[in-house]
Amino acid sequence: MKNNPSITQYKIVLLGDTNVGKTTIFNRYIHDKVDKNVGSTIGVDFEVKSFTYKKKKYKIKLFDTAGQERFRTITQAYFHMGDAFLIVFDLTNENSLISIHEWIQSVQDAVDNCTFIILGNKSDLIEKLIPEDIINEHVKKYKNFFFKTSAIKNKNIKEAISKLIDLLDEKNIKNRNNSFAVEEGNNYNKVGNQENNNKCC
Ligand code: GDP
Ligand code: MG
């Protein structure tokens, strides 16, 4: 992707247990359609979507896990592809809900100050949903960053990704302000700040 300063580009990575609907969400968001026979993705898959949102131009590169999530072999390299993460569970599968904590931990271990939101997918399966109090128990800490979605019925996918874009924009503005503050500071501050930012491994 060629860098065009008037276009904001973000990379978003889908994470979560197998069968929660990541590939269906991917197809819904990118192609606005669902393929009933999605199956496992082979190889890391990504697609780019360009659009205007709140009068700004965006290019979103969305990554879908390649079925490795089944074997928990997602590599650090995969985590590092993302500016932000969609952590998905299945609203009818409690194990996938419990797993979000591991996904969050893995991504936080790999990426400093990472941005993510949580999607509880398959909200259309109303007779099979996990009881609300159990869901709350796991997501209450993230309640402003939690969306119930249905990739099949096209519910809330765009809204959730818009929220993620808002969070990334806010983070960019903050980072920009911080770097201005450093530039305006003295040399001592500059060095101090660089050391902090470069803290490694
Ligand atoms: P992945 O392994 O996380 O990529 O999950 P898939 O996208 O392959 O979906 C697994 C299964 O769940 C497929 O049979 C999908 O049709 C189904 N599925 C995905 N999203 C939804 C949804 O929102 N509602 C319902 N009812 N089924 C869904
Ligand atoms: Mg898949």
Side-chain angles (χ1 to χ4, degrees):
M1 248 188 283
K2 231 180 172 180
N3 272 348
N4 179 336
S6 69
I7 302 178
T8 304
Q9 304 188 27
Y10 291 132
K11 288 170 272 168
I12 298 178
V13 168
L14 280 155
L15 292 174
D17 283 3
T18 189
N19 223 35
V20 295
K22 298 181 299 299
T23 303
T24 311
I25 291 169
F26 179 89
N27 286 330
R28 169 60 76 193
Y29 186 67
I30 297 291
H31 305 296
D32 200 17
K33 65 173 188 199
V34 291
D35 181 352
K36 288 273 178 202
N37 303 311
V38 272
S40 277
T41 334
I42 309 291
V44 172
D45 209 356
F46 71 84
E47 295 263 6
V48 175
K49 185 175 170 112
S50 301
F51 54 92
T52 302
Y53 169 61
K54 293 183 179 171
K55 299 189 181 157
K56 269 174 70 181
K57 286 185 179 157
Y58 289 90
K59 219 173 215 182
I60 299 298
K61 199 170 185 179
L62 185 63
F63 289 83
D64 188 17
T65 25
Q68 312 101 316
E69 78 277 19
R70 192 181 301 264
F71 312 105
R72 290 290 163 113
T73 53
I74 291 183
T75 59
Q76 297 279 311
Y78 187 72
F79 290 125
H80 286 292
M81 282 175 190
D83 298 310
F85 302 85
L86 291 166
I87 296 176
V88 188
F89 71 93
D90 175 344
L91 283 165
T92 69
N93 177 337
E94 196 173 336
N95 285 335
S96 75
L97 168 62
I98 293 166
S99 285
I100 64 168
H101 303 292
E102 269 180 62
W103 287 110
I104 292 168
Q105 192 60 54
S106 307
V107 80
Q108 284 180 333
D109 287 347
V111 184
D112 267 354
N113 187 21
C114 72
T115 302
F116 63 89
I117 55 171
I118 297 166
L119 306 185
N121 189 43
K122 309 196 187 180
S123 62
D124 56 290
L125 297 177
I126 22 182
E127 313 91 68
K128 297 193 200 155
L129 299 178
I130 308 164
E132 200 60 31
D133 54 329
I134 297 180
I135 296 175
N136 281 339
E137 203 181 294
H138 290 278
V139 302
K140 63 173 181 281
K141 209 171 136 190
Y142 311 106
K143 69 175 188 311
N144 293 331
F145 311 102
F146 170 53
F147 288 77
K148 289 183 183 171
T149 60
S150 168
I152 293 279
K153 299 269 184 207
N154 198 12
K155 281 264 159 64
N156 246 358
I157 305 284
K158 250 195 190 154
E159 289 76 358
I161 295 178
S162 298
K163 169 75 177 181
L164 201 52
I165 292 170
D166 289 342
L167 291 172
L168 285 165
D169 281 349
E170 278 167 31
K171 192 164 152 185
N172 269 352
I173 290 167
K174 247 190 223 160
N175 286 346
R176 221 173 296 147
N177 289 344
N178 283 347
S179 66
F180 285 145
V182 171
E183 274 167 30
E184 283 170 7
N186 57 28
N187 283 341
Y188 175 80
N189 275 344
K190 268 187 197 170
V191 173
N193 218 310
Q194 274 169 2
E195 274 174 1
N196 280 344
N197 288 341
N198 289 340
K199 84 172 156 21
C200 172
C201 328

